[in-house]
Amino acid sequence: MSVQPTTRDSAATAAPATKVPGGPATKVPGGPAPADPGQDTGSGAGLSSGQIGTFDLVFFVVAAAAPLTVLAGVAPFAISIGGAGTPLGYLISGALLVLFAAGFTAMSLYVRNAGAFYAYVARGLGRTLGVGIAYVAVVSYNLITPGVAAAFGYFAAGSIHDATGADIPWWSLSGVCVLAVGVLGWLRVTLSAKVLGVALVLEVLTLLVMDGGILGHRGTAALDMQSFDPGTLATGGVAGMFVIVIGAFTGFEATAIYAEEAREPSKTVPRATFIAIGFLALFYSAGVWLVMGAFGTDKAVAMARAAAGPELTFKAGELYVGAWLADTMHALVVISAFAATLAFHNAAARYLYALGREGLLPRRLGAVSARHGSPGTAVTAQTVFNLLVIVVGAVLAADPFAQVLIWTNSIAVLGIMLMQALAALAVWAFFRRDRRGLSAARVVWSPLIAFAGLALLTVLAALHFDLLTGASWTVNAILLAPLPIVLVAGMAIALRIRSRDPQRYARLTNVDVERD
């Protein structure tokens, strides 16, 4: 059985299969095609393999999503736009991403690459578009990290002021966060997983205590089934609400990014992906539902739209458990932001590593630390970029939350949604002629439905970008411009390589052609 390259990638047809270090790229009878770990440069060694288990991956993904930050800092904003149906919005978004994950994890059996999205797009839709998406991925993931680090500085400065009265600049605390994350990113990846695991457990326990307090006092009065009536979604703000809500799941695809470093990735990656998405969908939906139920749905929506909106979750914890819980939640938001910064830093560094290994960015970025098995040069580059964004924010006296965080992450979420949509279409294209023994539900219908939903959300995100940034049309146009620019630039670079060096083009994104 063979996968024929598309017409635009005909240069690859005559190319031999990409050689995997340590052996030929041959197909194993009865099993998936060989993975695409790529060719390492710089140190001559690959990423440290077999280091990450299922729950390590779950910690990376869920900690990146930062459930406490979402429920305390972002969910009130979603409620203010989406109204009573916001809890249903989280469930629908989770269901859409489960459909996406069905095909996404099926493809992970055949493509294992630290630049998961662009490798999948290249394999299914062609190298030229894949390279364009590679640059979108670099921009998106590298923008998320300093934005979340700015949120860390914002929350930490507020907590220190409340506790001591001291005013410490947010940017100095963000700088400390960036440097600490850089050190952890340089060290063996399992250390990051342990740090993220501790942070996640503390966040979840705190929110469960709040939920228990609300139910203990309000009982069934807190469970307003109106929130799950599809009719509640027939409002003008539902489009913006879905953009915010689906952004809360950003980072779940990191399970595939770490496939090269996972134990038994054919089992670990799918298992961790579904656990993470399912947990987040249920946890977010139940948490938002109970926060709204703490005050009554209508009153909660009114509060979210008023000045009290940002404190909605903290007020629920204080009202039904005690001031100590609200204080604890304020402190843990700082830890949550640190955990998210670490998780996204690791993902961003691996995209830089993957593109450096491909020669699409300076090849030094593809170097691996011989001692720790981490992408050391990419980690350093990502850390320097984070510091640069923080410095620029400080010099311009930007608001660390409303501007540095929201603006950078709004661009990033839009870019990731675009990549998710194209990756879903790529899964369908990859399995279109040969399902490799997998069901049509998993590799045909699920990715097509996911593509349609994600493409619609991407368009809505672009059209309603002002709901995310609160900025003028001119500012929004400037913020959105990098995504199409880098997409087109990446495709132009790929076409130039194709015309000048067809053999190198055939090796881009480490895509091999299966043969009978």
Side-chain angles (χ1 to χ4, degrees):
M1 293 177 290
S2 63
V3 176
Q4 299 298 328
T6 59
T7 302
R8 62 184 175 277
D9 288 336
S10 57
T13 307
T18 302
K19 188 177 186 300
V20 177
T26 56
K27 186 176 180 180
V28 179
D36 298 329
Q39 298 172 346
D40 299 302
T41 60
S43 71
L47 292 172
S48 182
S49 62
Q51 296 293 308
I52 304 176
T54 297
F55 286 98
D56 291 332
L57 279 177
V58 172
F59 288 148
F60 274 119
V61 171
V62 180
L68 181 56
T69 300
V70 168
L71 287 177
V74 181
F77 187 31
I79 293 170
S80 70
I81 297 175
T86 304
L88 179 59
Y90 281 100
L91 284 184
I92 292 175
S93 297
L96 178 62
L97 292 177
V98 164
L99 292 175
F100 171 80
F104 186 69
T105 55
M107 200 161 178
S108 71
L109 300 173
Y110 297 87
V111 181
R112 292 174 196 155
N113 191 297
F117 275 148
Y118 83 78
Y120 288 17
V121 172
R123 189 67 171 264
L125 302 177
R127 292 171 177 80
T128 300
L129 182 58
V131 172
I133 287 297
Y135 287 97
V136 172
V138 167
V139 169
S140 298
Y141 280 101
N142 278 274
L143 279 175
I144 287 181
T145 313
V148 182
F152 171 89
Y154 169 81
F155 290 131
S159 295
I160 292 172
H161 176 78
D162 291 342
T164 67
D167 291 317
I168 299 179
W170 68 268
W171 50 264
S172 64
L173 297 170
S174 294
V176 172
C177 172
V178 166
L179 293 175
V181 161
V183 171
L184 287 171
W186 181 277
L187 299 175
R188 193 166 293 275
V189 70
T190 49
L191 178 59
S192 292
K194 290 180 174 61
V195 172
L196 293 173
V198 172
L200 176 60
V201 168
L202 292 174
E203 291 182 53
V204 170
L205 286 176
T206 301
L207 290 167
L208 289 177
V209 170
M210 179 193 71
D211 292 344
I214 294 171
L215 285 173
H217 284 82
R218 295 268 294 165
T220 56
L223 307 178
D224 185 356
M225 297 308 297
Q226 176 193 1
S227 292
F228 298 97
D229 178 359
T232 59
L233 299 179
T235 64
V238 69
M241 181 270 288
F242 268 110
V243 171
I244 297 166
V245 166
I246 205 165
F249 292 83
T250 299
F252 79 88
E253 69 285 347
T255 53
I257 293 173
Y258 292 103
E260 292 183 50
E261 301 163 88
R263 294 191 295 271
E264 296 186 273
S266 62
K267 297 179 181 179
T268 301
V269 170
R271 189 183 300 147
T273 304
F274 286 114
I275 290 174
I277 295 174
F279 172 82
L280 289 173
L282 295 174
F283 194 77
Y284 286 152
S285 181
V288 172
W289 188 31
L290 286 171
V291 166
M292 294 172 67
F295 306 98
T297 301
D298 293 339
K299 183 177 180 180
V301 172
M303 291 174 65
R305 292 171 178 169
E311 292 290 315
L312 190 66
T313 303
F314 299 117
K315 286 182 180 296
E318 181 175 2
L319 182 61
Y320 292 106
V321 180
W324 68 267
L325 181 64
D327 293 340
T328 301
M329 292 170 69
H330 275 103
L332 284 178
V333 163
V334 179
I335 297 175
S336 177
F338 180 86
T341 305
L342 175 58
F344 282 117
H345 165 81
N346 282 334
R350 277 154 181 78
Y351 266 99
L352 290 173
Y353 161 80
L355 266 67
R357 185 173 62 181
E358 300 279 3
L360 296 172
L361 288 176
R363 289 192 178 274
R364 290 186 62 185
L365 291 171
V368 175
S369 167
R371 180 175 181 181
H372 301 293
S374 61
T377 306
V379 165
T380 301
Q382 219 282 317
T383 301
V384 171
F385 176 76
N386 293 340
L387 289 172
L388 179 62
V389 173
I390 297 300
V391 168
V392 170
V395 170
L396 296 179
D399 184 292
F401 194 92
Q403 293 177 313
V404 182
L405 169 67
I406 298 299
W407 289 10
T408 58
N409 280 241
S410 294
I411 303 168
V413 168
L414 184 61
I416 290 172
M417 289 168 61
L418 172 64
M419 292 189 290
Q420 288 173 342
L422 291 176
L425 188 61
V427 171
W428 168 80
F430 178 73
F431 289 103
R432 180 168 57 92
R433 295 181 180 176
D434 179 7
R435 299 208 307 264
R436 294 158 172 81
L438 299 172
S439 69
R442 183 175 184 184
V443 298
V444 177
W445 297 113
S446 289
L448 284 178
I449 295 171
F451 166 71
L454 289 164
L456 176 62
L457 287 172
T458 302
V459 172
L460 290 174
L463 293 177
H464 297 277
F465 202 62
D466 59 306
L467 292 176
L468 302 175
T469 64
S472 66
W473 184 92
T474 302
V475 172
N476 287 330
I478 294 172
L479 292 174
L480 286 171
L483 295 179
I485 289 173
V486 297
L487 176 63
V488 172
M491 295 176 68
I493 290 171
L495 291 173
R496 183 181 180 186
I497 294 172
R498 179 177 178 175
S499 65
R500 295 189 175 187
D501 190 350
Q503 291 187 342
R504 182 189 171 197
Y505 179 81
R507 295 191 300 270
L508 283 179
T509 70
N510 300 303
V511 178
D512 62 305
V513 180
E514 295 177 50
R515 301 185 184 280
D516 292 328

